Amino acid sequence: MQIGIAPLVGGLIAIALLIGGAFAVGTKWDGDTESSAETAAAVSALKSDSEFSDEEFLEADEETPAPEGAPLYKVLRVVDGDTIVIEVDGKSESVRMIGVDTPELNDSRTGVQCFAKEAAEKTKALVTGKSIRFEKDPSQGDRDKYKRLLGYVFLENGGFVNKALIEGGFAHEYTYDDAYKYQKQFKAAQAAAKEAEAGLWAPDVCPPEKAATKAKTPAPPKTTTSNTNQAAAAAAAAAPPAQPIQQPVQQQAVQPTTTPQPEPKKEEPKPEPKEEPKPEPKKDPDPPLEPSPKSLEPSSIVCSRNAYNCTDFETKKDAQEVYDQCGGVGNDIHRLDNNKDGSACDSLP
C-alpha cells in the first residue's frame, strides 16, 4: 500500500506539534508546581505566626523557672505596664510587679509618659484573659504603701512576664530599696535591651520637649538731657516764626499816694490728728479640710464613713486604690462600685 506525500507530511507535522505541546505543558506544570509549593509554605508560615499568641512566644527558661505547685489566679484587668488586677479567693487584688518600672499611664502628677501606652498594651497582650502564677519575695515584703501585692508574674507555660517586659524594652529595671531575687537577671536583660536599642531604648523614641521661648519686648531708649535739648531745638526750628502782638497804648491814671497797709497774716491750717490703725480681730483658724483622694497616702484614707465620690478622683486607678484599701466589695463604704463587680468608678478614664 502506498501513502501519498501530502498525508505523510501532514502526519509528521501533527506528531511534532503534539510532542512540542506536551513538552511545553510539562514545563509549565513543573513551574506552577514549584511556585505553588513556595506560596503554600509562605502562607503556612504566616498562618502559623498569626496563630501563636504572645504567651506562646514567651517561653520559660531554666535561669528563671516558675514556682512549682503555685496556684493559678485569673487576671481581671491590666492597670498599666507594671500593675495588674487578679482574683484571689473571690476578691480583686492589685499586683505590682517587682523589679520593673514602666512609664506612667494614669498618674495625674506626670500625665501620660512616653512609651506608657506601648508598655500597657504589651502587658495586656501577655496576660489578658489568662491565668497566672504569682511568686512573692520575702526581701521586698508582701505589699507596698498602696496595699498592692508585690511579686513576680508567670504565665501558665512558665513564661516570666516581669523579665519579658525588660527584655523587650517596655520597662526599666527597678530596685526599690533592697536587692531582690532576680535582680541580676533583670539587670542583664536591660543591658541587652539597651544594646539592641529595643522599645523605649530606640533612638529618638522619646525626644526631649523643646523649651518654650518667650518673646522679649524691646526696652524704650533712655532719655538724656542732650537728647531733650536737641529735640526741643529741632521743634523750634521747624515751627513758623511768631508774629508780634500789638497792644493799645493806655494812659496811666495818677493814683493818690497812700500808706500801704500790711496784709493780715494767714493762719496756717492745723494738721488733723492721725488716727491710729485699729488692729484687725484675729480670725479663727479654718477647720482642717478633708484630705483629697487625688494625693492620698494610705494612712490618711478615710474608711470609717462615706467621705468620697467618684467625682473626687481624676482616674479610675486612684479610685480603685481607695476602694481596695477600704475593703473592696466587702466594705464599699464610699459606694464606688455600684454593680459590685470589684471595679470602682467605671466611668472614670
Side-chain angles (χ1 to χ4, degrees):
M1 181 177 65
Q2 294 181 354
I3 301 176
I5 297 300
L8 180 60
V9 173
L12 292 175
I13 293 174
I15 293 172
L17 292 174
L18 182 61
I19 294 174
F23 178 80
V25 171
T27 304
K28 184 177 185 302
W29 176 258
D30 291 340
D32 289 346
T33 302
E34 183 179 356
S35 177
S36 300
E38 292 176 355
T39 303
V43 171
S44 176
L46 180 61
K47 182 178 180 182
S48 63
D49 287 348
S50 63
E51 289 176 349
F52 284 113
S53 64
D54 287 289
E55 177 187 1
E56 291 168 313
F57 280 122
L58 178 58
E59 298 178 353
D61 60 76
E62 297 179 356
E63 189 180 25
T64 55
E68 295 183 2
L72 290 171
Y73 299 99
K74 181 182 177 181
V75 176
L76 299 179
R77 62 187 180 90
V78 172
V79 178
D80 54 24
D82 53 36
T83 306
I84 65 175
V85 178
I86 63 175
E87 183 179 359
V88 181
D89 297 331
K91 297 190 302 181
S92 61
E93 288 277 9
S94 295
V95 175
R96 175 64 165 83
M97 300 184 205
I98 294 175
V100 300
D101 184 35
T102 60
E104 294 296 338
L105 181 63
N106 302 308
D107 195 332
S108 59
R109 297 168 298 179
T110 62
V112 178
Q113 293 182 332
C114 177
F115 221 73
K117 293 181 179 180
E118 291 83 349
E121 290 301 321
K122 184 63 176 179
T123 302
K124 286 180 181 179
L126 291 173
V127 303
T128 299
K130 300 180 177 63
S131 295
I132 58 96
R133 288 185 171 86
F134 179 73
E135 179 184 3
K136 295 182 179 181
D137 190 336
S139 69
Q140 304 300 303
D142 291 340
R143 296 179 183 269
D144 64 4
K145 65 179 182 179
Y146 301 111
K147 304 301 180 181
R148 297 176 296 188
L149 291 173
L150 296 173
Y152 307 104
V153 175
F154 293 86
L155 302 177
E156 291 187 61
N157 68 346
F160 197 178
V161 176
N162 302 48
K163 185 178 179 182
L165 292 174
I166 299 176
E167 288 177 330
F170 296 95
H172 300 85
E173 184 279 330
Y174 177 65
T175 301
Y176 176 70
D177 192 2
D178 298 327
Y180 52 91
K181 180 178 179 180
Y182 298 104
Q183 185 188 59
K184 180 179 178 181
Q185 293 90 329
F186 286 10
K187 285 184 178 292
Q190 176 168 287
K194 279 186 176 181
E195 184 176 354
E197 296 182 342
L200 56 83
W201 303 111
D204 300 329
V205 70
C206 293
E209 296 180 358
K210 294 183 179 179
T213 56
K214 296 183 179 180
K216 294 183 178 180
T217 303
K222 293 182 179 180
T223 303
T224 62
T225 305
S226 60
N227 291 341
T228 305
N229 295 337
Q230 291 176 3
Q243 298 295 330
I245 300 175
Q246 296 182 356
Q247 295 183 353
V249 178
Q250 295 181 355
Q251 293 182 355
Q252 296 182 354
V254 178
Q255 299 293 335
T257 304
T258 58
T259 303
Q261 298 293 329
E263 295 182 358
K265 294 183 179 181
K266 297 181 179 180
E267 293 182 2
E268 296 182 357
K270 297 181 180 180
E272 296 181 1
K274 296 183 180 179
E275 295 183 359
E276 295 293 333
K278 297 180 180 180
E280 295 183 359
K282 295 183 179 181
K283 296 182 180 180
D284 294 330
D286 295 331
L289 299 176
E290 190 73 23
S292 171
K294 298 175 183 176
S295 58
L296 283 177
E297 290 295 330
S299 60
S300 63
I301 294 177
V302 178
C303 295
S304 59
R305 57 187 174 82
N306 185 357
Y308 314 120
N309 296 317
C310 286
T311 55
D312 295 325
F313 304 91
E314 289 185 356
T315 65
K316 178 178 177 61
K317 179 181 178 182
D318 296 333
Q320 188 70 35
E321 291 176 356
V322 173
Y323 171 80
D324 291 339
Q325 179 166 342
C326 290
V329 177
N331 185 34
D332 187 14
I333 188 67
H334 307 296
R335 299 179 182 177
L336 304 178
D337 182 14
N338 293 330
N339 56 4
K340 306 299 181 182
D341 64 345
S343 178
C345 297
D346 294 329
S347 61
L348 293 178

